[in-house]
Amino acid sequence: MRIGMVCYPGLGGSGIVASELADRLARRGHRVYLFATELPMRLPEGSPVQFMPVELPNYPVFPAPLYTLALAGALERAIREESLELIHTHYAIPHAVAAELAAEGRIPLVHTLHGTDVTLLGIDPAYQTLTARALQKAAAVTAVSQNLAQQAQRAFGVSPQVIYNAVDTERFRPNLEARRYYAAPDEFLLVHASNFRAVKRVGDIVHVFAKIRQKLKARLVLVGTGPERAEALSIAHSLRVDDSVTSLATAKNPEAIIGAADVFLLASEYEGFGQSGLEALACGVPVVATRVGGVPEWLTPEVGRLVEFGDLEAFAQAVVELLTSPQLEQMRLAARNHAQAHFNPELITDQYEALYRRAHQRDLEAASPA
């Protein structure tokens, strides 16, 4: 098929999922065009995917660049010039509306919901009505967790198919040799990776780390960048743990850092899925995370711990218990096995291909005369 894939290019889970899915589909022989404002960070080098930059003209008459219209125009041109047969958007706002504007019923549309496009922006009156209308008209809607699918039904009146995220366990694998770059031999290494938006609660991660440091020798590595990065580092300074906190801007190879960790920390207020945590499991790194959104659907007691959101004492205690547990090495093996068994990229890609075939077939049947 000739598939148009739409995503945000940053380190958020939606961009990661879209980029890696596009690459796998292209390697299976599909012609995949990836639309984003810049080259997505996680699109593999040498990928057969054709990148289609979405240009954002900035005219003084407008208060801001018109991303929705620019994307719709890029998709409409690709439908005409590249004969796209299907468009798959990741993160509904504003991608679902832009795709609907571009397609006008000519080709099937598939939309994947990832989290705050439902739970935050999705319920904003500025976006909710038009987004709901676009999703209801789509050939298919998917969600990355059961929890998110339930919330989407309430917010938009749709019933998404749940297709979980995948993780490449060949790329994300243990890397204990790299520990020496980030921690001394007698220190535990804790890692958090995200896009540092407010919902990720990176400040809570730092507060938890300060509590852990009262009991154990440890270091914290924060991977990524975003609006809350400076605040998190300010908190580290105020708690006098900044000498044990390392902040790394967006890493080209995050697996090298995550794979060196003893425990991965995820303190989010909400996660549609929690891709970074799954990547940690693939690296053989147990995860301690808040019991929110879709996280409990992949984080079991055999591979990590769930704590209630906002209970920083319980969070710190769970980390300390894992780090000092004689079962830690066994849990590392279980974490990697869990990721390999349940979130295999080829199985997930099969599910999307089957969805595309059904959407395309329904479109052909609808277009044929009675």
Side-chain angles (χ1 to χ4, degrees):
M1 295 184 69
R2 302 173 77 85
I3 301 165
M5 192 80 68
V6 181
C7 72
Y8 290 113
L11 265 185
S14 64
I16 293 171
V17 170
S19 300
E20 295 183 351
L21 174 62
D23 180 69
R24 294 195 302 272
L25 289 166
R27 294 183 190 279
R28 288 187 175 195
H30 299 283
R31 183 69 172 166
V32 184
Y33 302 82
L34 185 58
F35 295 81
T37 52
E38 58 187 77
L39 188 68
M41 294 178 182
R42 289 285 287 272
L43 183 67
E45 291 185 13
S47 174
V49 169
Q50 183 167 335
F51 173 56
M52 306 288 280
V54 179
E55 305 291 343
L56 297 178
N58 195 356
Y59 294 107
V61 69
F62 300 130
L66 302 182
Y67 173 60
T68 304
L69 286 179
L71 173 60
L75 291 171
E76 195 278 333
R77 287 191 298 275
I79 292 171
R80 287 187 288 107
E81 298 172 5
E82 307 295 342
S83 301
L84 293 186
E85 298 173 86
L86 179 142
I87 292 173
H88 184 180
T89 75
H90 290 260
Y91 203 90
I93 298 171
H95 297 156
V97 170
E100 178 64 31
L101 283 172
E104 294 183 308
R106 288 177 289 173
I107 62 173
L109 305 180
V110 174
H111 305 302
T112 294
L113 308 174
H114 284 269
T116 52
D117 51 347
V118 177
T119 62
L120 182 62
L121 293 176
I123 59 176
D124 189 318
Y127 309 113
Q128 196 273 340
T129 302
L130 286 178
T131 302
R133 189 181 303 168
L135 293 175
Q136 290 165 11
K137 294 174 69 175
V141 179
T142 75
V144 296
S145 67
Q146 297 287 349
N147 176 273
L148 188 62
Q150 293 165 6
Q151 299 212 42
Q153 190 165 33
R154 292 192 292 269
F156 298 128
V158 295
S159 298
Q161 176 182 338
V162 175
I163 300 181
Y164 287 121
N165 292 352
V167 63
D168 182 354
T169 55
E170 288 303 308
R171 176 178 181 178
F172 286 87
R173 55 190 309 119
N175 187 18
L176 299 180
E177 298 81 8
R179 285 192 86 260
R180 66 182 186 273
Y181 298 120
Y182 307 107
D186 62 342
E187 293 178 316
F188 290 108
L189 179 61
L190 309 177
V191 173
H192 168 80
S194 73
N195 53 19
F196 285 69
R197 289 184 295 153
V199 71
K200 302 298 181 179
R201 304 291 294 207
V202 186
D204 285 0
I205 294 282
V206 178
H207 279 286
V208 166
F209 176 68
K211 296 177 185 297
I212 294 168
R213 274 288 306 275
Q214 294 173 4
K215 300 178 180 180
L216 298 172
K217 295 184 69 173
R219 294 195 66 87
L220 173 64
V221 177
L222 301 173
V223 183
T225 190
E228 299 300 310
R229 179 172 176 261
E231 176 65 17
L233 296 179
S234 176
I235 292 171
H237 179 74
S238 67
L239 295 175
R240 299 183 178 179
V241 294
D242 50 322
D243 60 335
S244 297
V245 176
T246 301
S247 177
L248 302 175
T250 303
K252 189 174 183 180
N253 299 304
E255 67 276 10
I257 304 165
I258 297 173
D262 293 299
V263 171
F264 186 87
L265 310 180
L266 192 64
S268 303
E269 185 173 350
Y270 183 79
E271 288 283 354
F273 182 83
Q275 182 68 16
S276 62
L278 178 61
E279 291 173 348
L281 294 186
C283 290
V285 178
V287 176
V288 177
T290 44
R291 190 190 306 274
V292 297
V295 174
E297 296 177 39
W298 55 264
L299 185 55
T300 67
E302 293 77 25
V303 299
R305 296 289 182 269
L306 290 166
V307 297
E308 298 307 313
F309 171 71
D311 192 341
L312 304 189
E313 290 290 347
F315 200 120
Q317 184 59 33
V319 176
V320 170
E321 289 177 0
L322 279 189
L323 292 174
T324 57
S325 170
Q327 304 301 316
L328 183 59
E329 285 306 312
Q330 181 179 334
M331 188 173 285
R332 293 182 70 97
L333 292 173
R336 182 160 172 79
N337 290 338
H338 181 66
Q340 289 174 319
H342 298 287
F343 304 96
N344 180 281
E346 296 308 312
L347 295 178
I348 302 300
T349 308
D350 288 345
Q351 293 180 50
Y352 277 114
E353 277 192 321
L355 182 71
Y356 294 163
R357 286 194 294 270
R358 292 194 300 271
H360 194 59
Q361 183 61 35
R362 284 197 297 267
D363 189 63
L364 291 176
E365 291 171 357
S368 62

